[in-house]
Amino acid sequence: MSGVSQIRIRPALSGDVAAIVAMLADDALGRGRERVADPLPPSYVQAFERVERDPNIQLVVAEGEGGEVIGCLQLCILPGLSSQGASRGLIEDVRVASRYRSRGIGEQLVQWAVAEAQSKGCKLVELLTHNTRIDAQRFYKRLGFQASHVGMTIRF
Amino acid sequence: MSGVSQIRIRPALSGDVAAIVAMLADDALGRGRERVADPLPPSYVQAFERVERDPNIQLVVAEGEGGEVIGCLQLCILPGLSSQGASRGLIEDVRVASRYRSRGIGEQLVQWAVAEAQSKGCKLVELLTHNTRIDAQRFYKRLGFQASHVGMTIRF
């Protein structure tokens, strides 16, 4: 532990995509799924444009003291009829650059997302975390989440 | 088992909201969360309008042979950077009217959603199902889903 880092959370810009992809790839599960190259595969840039066009999705980054991008998180606000028509918040793709871990950056990102979802009228925030991510499960429990559901997936 | 029912899957209309809410409420977990009244609480109607305005969300119903609404499902197509910029499909609020269960209706709804997500370029479809819904977990496994993740939630 090196104490809690001061970060600034702001919307991701197109110039951040490479830094975000590097964080997604710097991960036990992400390593096999991402493709880090220069220039970046166009599928990432196209996906960023789709995210930007979607008013219910916020992709944010955490900026460190020097202005570098050291974390990211995607929050989706999903309208729906259940729970008397309350929207749900869905958190995806939480990452912190490896050399900045254990400094409270992920915690600040997730607390931002929970507060943001609440301010948008959500009564529930949900996320899926892989069965093997035991540390992540402990982390989310510390922030008030419950392991109430089974997260089921099918990949093509 | 009464064999497989013929259904028609179509987008939900505002006139279906009451039938959908009745199915959401006719459920062990939904019972405590929903409010079935006539007229319907306006929060449901407002939520339906939000769903309709969102181009990435499809709320569909299953119509039985007589034209009545006997099932529902919500599919969200979520753009994002991970997995090389592939969108994810998220399935929510799958319900079948209690007197029509065990006739393959849920299966047809979920298979429709998986095919639809695939046709929209998703490489992954995900969902959360409550730890207590053992039958649902068996059902999704039969359809090819894996219990790969922990679904974590926080309610306000």
Side-chain angles (χ1 to χ4, degrees), chain A residues 19-77:
Chain A
I20 295 170
V21 172
M23 290 188 288
L24 293 172
D26 179 20
D27 174 88
L29 295 169
R31 201 158 291 136
R33 287 185 201 146
E34 308 303 337
R35 203 155 69 81
V36 179
D38 186 11
L40 214 55
S43 62
Y44 288 113
V45 179
Q46 290 154 6
F48 180 76
E49 289 164 359
R50 283 194 294 273
V51 167
E52 270 209 309
R53 274 198 303 272
D54 191 322
N56 290 333
I57 299 187
Q58 295 181 72
L59 176 62
V60 297
V61 294
E63 239 183 32
E65 283 165 38
E68 75 279 47
V69 168
I70 59 179
C72 61
L73 176 150
Q74 182 166 314
L75 172 66
C76 310
I77 305 289

Side-chain angles (χ1 to χ4, degrees), chain A residues 34 43 50 54 56 74 79 83-85 88 92-93 125-127 129 131 146-154, chain B residues 34 43 50 54 56 74 79 83-85 88 92-93 125-127 129 131 146-153:
Chain A
E34 308 303 337
S43 62
R50 283 194 294 273
D54 191 322
N56 290 333
Q74 182 166 314
S83 294
Q84 301 188 34
R88 291 182 181 95
E92 302 256 23
D93 294 343
V125 175
E126 62 191 14
L127 60 88
T129 180
N131 289 337
Q146 295 195 315
S148 54
H149 287 66
V150 179
M152 306 201 68
T153 57
I154 185 166
Chain B
E34 308 303 338
S43 62
R50 284 194 293 273
D54 191 321
N56 289 332
Q74 182 166 314
S83 293
Q84 301 189 36
R88 291 181 181 96
E92 302 257 23
D93 294 342
V125 175
E126 61 191 15
L127 60 89
T129 180
N131 288 337
Q146 295 195 314
S148 54
H149 287 66
V150 179
M152 306 200 70
T153 57

Side-chain angles (χ1 to χ4, degrees), chain A residues 16-17 20-21 24 29 32-35 41 43-45 47-48 50-51 54-57 59 74 76-88 90 92-93 95 114-115 117-118 122-132 136-138 140-141 143-156, chain B residues 16-17 20-21 24 29 32-35 41 43-45 47-48 50-51 54-57 59 74 76-88 90 92-93 95 114-115 117-118 122-132 136-138 140-141 143-156:
Chain A
D16 302 318
V17 173
I20 295 170
V21 172
L24 293 172
L29 295 169
R33 287 185 201 146
E34 308 303 337
R35 203 155 69 81
S43 62
Y44 288 113
V45 179
F48 180 76
R50 283 194 294 273
V51 167
D54 191 322
N56 290 333
I57 299 187
L59 176 62
Q74 182 166 314
C76 310
I77 305 289
L78 302 166
L81 295 191
S82 64
S83 294
Q84 301 188 34
S87 293
R88 291 182 181 95
L90 173 71
E92 302 256 23
D93 294 343
R95 295 290 188 283
V114 169
Q118 218 169 351
C122 294
K123 287 190 191 158
L124 174 81
V125 175
E126 62 191 14
L127 60 88
L128 290 89
T129 180
H130 197 271
N131 289 337
T132 58
Q137 289 149 34
R138 198 178 303 126
Y140 287 116
K141 279 181 192 161
L143 300 185
F145 284 80
Q146 295 195 315
S148 54
H149 287 66
V150 179
M152 306 201 68
T153 57
I154 185 166
R155 279 191 181 269
F156 315 120
Chain B
D16 301 319
V17 173
I20 295 170
V21 172
L24 294 172
L29 294 170
R33 286 185 201 145
E34 308 303 338
R35 203 155 69 81
S43 62
Y44 288 113
V45 179
F48 180 76
R50 284 194 293 273
V51 167
D54 191 321
N56 289 332
I57 298 187
L59 175 62
Q74 182 166 314
C76 311
I77 305 290
L78 301 166
L81 295 191
S82 63
S83 293
Q84 301 189 36
S87 293
R88 291 181 181 96
L90 173 72
E92 302 257 23
D93 294 342
R95 295 289 188 284
V114 169
Q118 217 168 352
C122 294
K123 287 190 190 157
L124 175 81
V125 175
E126 61 191 15
L127 60 89
L128 289 90
T129 180
H130 197 270
N131 288 337
T132 58
Q137 289 149 33
R138 197 178 303 124
Y140 287 117
K141 279 182 192 161
L143 300 185
F145 285 80
Q146 295 195 314
S148 54
H149 287 66
V150 179
M152 306 200 70
T153 57
I154 186 167
R155 278 191 182 268
F156 314 119

Side-chain angles (χ1 to χ4, degrees), chain B residues 61-84:
Chain B
V61 294
E63 239 182 34
E65 284 164 38
E68 76 279 48
V69 167
I70 58 178
C72 62
L73 177 150
Q74 182 166 314
L75 172 66
C76 311
I77 305 290
L78 301 166
L81 295 191
S82 63
S83 293
Q84 301 189 36

Side-chain angles (χ1 to χ4, degrees), chain B residues 73 91 94 106-115 139-140 143 145:
Chain B
L73 177 150
I91 293 176
V94 183
E107 181 167 341
Q108 291 174 73
L109 279 164
V110 171
Q111 284 175 336
W112 170 85
V114 169
F139 164 78
Y140 287 117
L143 300 185
F145 285 80

